[in-house]
Amino acid sequence: MKFEQIKELIELVDEKKLTRIDIEEEDFKITIRKEYPKVVASTGDADVQPVPSIQPVIQQVSVEPGSQVTTNELEADENLFVVESPMVGTFYSAKSPEAEDFVKVGDQVTEGATLCIIEAMKLMNDIDAEVSGQVVEILVKNEEPVEYGQPLFKLKAQ
């Protein structure tokens, strides 16, 4: 199965509001799952109310020595570049459990530098910086599952 076909399956699950799709062939098996907000009964006038989604915690990150900038301020910065996951898989911050992370907050990176690895269907895929700049936020923890299009890093382009 090609990457484009997998991408189309992901879009189909989202478009049709499916919660799970399983495909099994002779040489591979793929499962795509999506969780939707749960609906709970209300004791008020309305019959149902959606449960509010969990919002990410906004952290302060150091951009220049001695200064603090919040994520909201960074989002307004036109030099901010968000690196998104190009696939569904597992995020790895280092080449191996014993190795140091590819990047840390505050590191300077050049275009093409490896930021992380995403494992998808037993294949290790290097995710490279598309711009040169400073890592201002890492949005995923090591060994966490990631979705297609999920933000992974915020870089302040230079």
Side-chain angles (χ1 to χ4, degrees), residues 67-113:
S67 69
Q68 295 289 319
V69 179
T70 66
T71 302
N72 287 341
E73 291 168 342
L74 287 171
E75 287 171 356
D77 188 343
E78 62 189 42
N79 291 330
L80 184 68
F81 185 82
V82 178
V83 178
E84 296 178 345
S85 177
M87 64 193 70
V88 174
T90 303
F91 175 92
Y92 292 103
S93 59
K95 204 167 245 206
S96 70
E98 302 81 32
E100 284 198 35
D101 291 348
F102 289 107
V103 295
K104 297 178 186 79
V105 172
D107 285 355
Q108 292 291 328
V109 295
T110 57
E111 184 176 343

Side-chain angles (χ1 to χ4, degrees), residues 59-63 103-108 134-139 153-154:
Q59 303 176 9
Q60 288 196 341
V61 293
S62 177
V63 175
V103 295
K104 297 178 186 79
V105 172
D107 285 355
Q108 292 291 328
Q134 184 177 30
V135 178
V136 293
E137 192 170 3
I138 301 173
L139 304 167
F153 298 91
K154 290 185 181 180

Side-chain angles (χ1 to χ4, degrees), residues 10-149:
I10 293 168
E11 290 169 356
L12 178 69
V13 167
D14 190 45
E15 181 181 296
K16 299 294 184 185
K17 303 284 188 221
L18 300 174
T19 56
R20 181 179 173 141
I21 187 169
D22 294 300
I23 298 175
E24 191 167 345
E25 296 285 327
E26 292 177 9
D27 56 345
F28 76 93
K29 177 181 178 181
I30 185 168
T31 299
I32 301 172
R33 282 184 243 156
K34 181 166 182 175
E35 292 185 24
Y36 294 92
K38 295 180 182 174
V39 178
V40 295
S42 170
T43 57
D45 294 334
D47 292 337
V48 293
Q49 292 180 345
V51 174
S53 61
I54 298 173
Q55 297 298 318
V57 175
I58 296 175
Q59 303 176 9
Q60 288 196 341
V61 293
S62 177
V63 175
E64 294 180 21
S67 69
Q68 295 289 319
V69 179
T70 66
T71 302
N72 287 341
E73 291 168 342
L74 287 171
E75 287 171 356
D77 188 343
E78 62 189 42
N79 291 330
L80 184 68
F81 185 82
V82 178
V83 178
E84 296 178 345
S85 177
M87 64 193 70
V88 174
T90 303
F91 175 92
Y92 292 103
S93 59
K95 204 167 245 206
S96 70
E98 302 81 32
E100 284 198 35
D101 291 348
F102 289 107
V103 295
K104 297 178 186 79
V105 172
D107 285 355
Q108 292 291 328
V109 295
T110 57
E111 184 176 343
T114 301
L115 300 173
C116 67
I117 293 174
I118 295 184
E119 178 189 2
M121 296 173 49
K122 304 290 182 196
L123 296 174
M124 299 298 185
N125 303 280
D126 288 353
I127 307 303
D128 299 331
E130 295 177 31
V131 297
S132 295
Q134 184 177 30
V135 178
V136 293
E137 192 170 3
I138 301 173
L139 304 167
V140 183
K141 291 186 171 69
N142 191 40
E143 299 183 5
E144 277 189 349
V146 294
E147 299 285 329
Y148 170 78

